[in-house]
Amino acid sequence: MKKSDFLKEYHKKRDFDRTSEPFGVSKNSSKSKQAIFVIQKHDASNLHYDFRLEVDGVLKSWAVPKGPSTVPSEKHLAVQTEDHPVDYADFEGTIREDEYGGGTVMIWDAGTYQNMNDKDGKKLSMSEAIKNGHVLFRLDGKKIKGGYALIHAGKGKNKNWLLIKKNDEQADARRNPVSSEKKLVLSGRTLNQIAKDAKHENKQD
Ligand code: MN
């Protein structure tokens, strides 16, 4: 792997002869279309939701143990993880137990987002906002919509952030999407079905 590898950490953590995850060779930047987001439910040793935003040709990633909330006052811990390739947004399947991140991954929600960051009336890029530790965006997914903030909870290399719902027309204190909406947006399968299908596929080869 080259030193300049933009997915260095992602590649270092995985053995691509063994994992079913995409290698992610190039930056598929989608300049003409809107940037995407994806939330992947990941049944690893600790169940969590991987929240990913497309920024400058990679997926900036956070692991959110409780998943996103629709309640404005709730702050959900979001631990920043390594950048993932953009084609990871389509990944669904079971990573073998002895590999990094072993467990089943399902696409829980997906869609596009809008950068809502500005400073003194000027638009701030997503990468600048992330560097500043204060990121505002509007999600347009199937389950999750509206404004959210990601706030860096520490300084420097601290990986802890908070994912917070903005108080807007999409805020809903009575909705609990994490427990009430278990089905996938992509295939309509449940987590258990993906795991079963993966076992079946493995038996056949
Ligand atoms: Mn994960």
Side-chain angles (χ1 to χ4, degrees):
M1 219 60 62
K2 277 183 267 141
K3 273 260 159 68
S4 60
D5 185 356
F6 69 103
L7 292 168
K8 199 171 163 189
E9 205 184 332
Y10 175 83
H11 287 146
K12 214 169 71 186
K13 286 188 158 143
R14 292 168 174 82
D15 179 348
F16 289 92
D17 290 334
R18 293 156 65 91
T19 183
S20 47
E21 298 165 292
F23 183 77
V25 274
S26 63
K27 299 191 178 196
N28 347 347
S29 70
S30 46
K31 272 187 187 135
S32 52
K33 41 176 192 150
Q34 265 202 295
I36 60 153
F37 84 94
V38 65
I39 302 172
Q40 283 157 317
K41 188 173 179 180
H42 187 181
D43 191 11
S45 46
N46 292 303
L47 181 98
H48 59 271
Y49 294 76
D50 287 303
F51 179 66
R52 311 189 197 278
L53 292 168
E54 180 190 3
V55 178
D56 299 340
V58 295
L59 295 176
K60 290 286 170 188
S61 299
W62 289 263
V64 186
K66 288 184 179 169
S69 175
T70 54
V71 185
S73 55
E74 279 181 16
K75 299 177 171 77
H76 283 190
L77 176 68
V79 182
Q80 192 167 18
T81 58
E82 75 276 18
D83 294 349
H84 279 52
V86 171
D87 43 4
Y88 205 94
D90 299 324
F91 177 70
E92 233 176 37
T94 297
I95 304 164
R96 43 191 287 179
E97 287 302 326
D98 53 353
E99 263 300 298
Y100 175 74
T104 299
V105 175
M106 72 178 225
I107 299 173
W108 186 80
D109 199 15
T112 57
Y113 78 88
Q114 255 180 291
N115 175 1
M116 302 299 283
N117 301 288
D118 56 48
K119 202 181 175 186
D120 310 323
K122 274 190 192 159
K123 198 106 185 149
L124 206 62
S125 73
M126 284 296 284
S127 54
E128 279 176 292
I130 291 171
K131 224 175 274 167
N132 295 344
H134 192 281
V135 194
L136 299 174
F137 46 88
R138 256 190 91 84
L139 301 177
D140 187 14
K142 295 249 160 57
K143 295 174 181 169
I144 300 296
K145 292 178 196 289
Y148 279 84
L150 266 168
I151 310 293
H152 196 190
K155 285 249 183 290
K157 287 192 171 168
N158 187 304
K159 296 197 182 306
N160 291 351
W161 293 62
L162 296 169
L163 180 63
I164 307 164
K165 176 81 197 78
K166 283 285 183 186
N167 197 359
D168 59 17
E169 80 290 349
Q170 297 290 345
D172 188 346
R174 284 164 307 175
R175 215 182 130 205
N176 186 351
V178 166
S179 66
S180 61
E181 287 152 50
K182 295 190 193 301
K183 286 237 171 137
L184 318 194
V185 297
L186 198 71
S187 55
R189 294 184 293 177
T190 64
L191 204 58
N192 282 342
Q193 280 168 322
I194 291 178
K196 256 186 220 160
D197 290 350
K199 260 185 206 155
H200 190 70
E201 280 159 26
N202 289 344
K203 263 183 206 156
Q204 286 179 327
D205 56 44

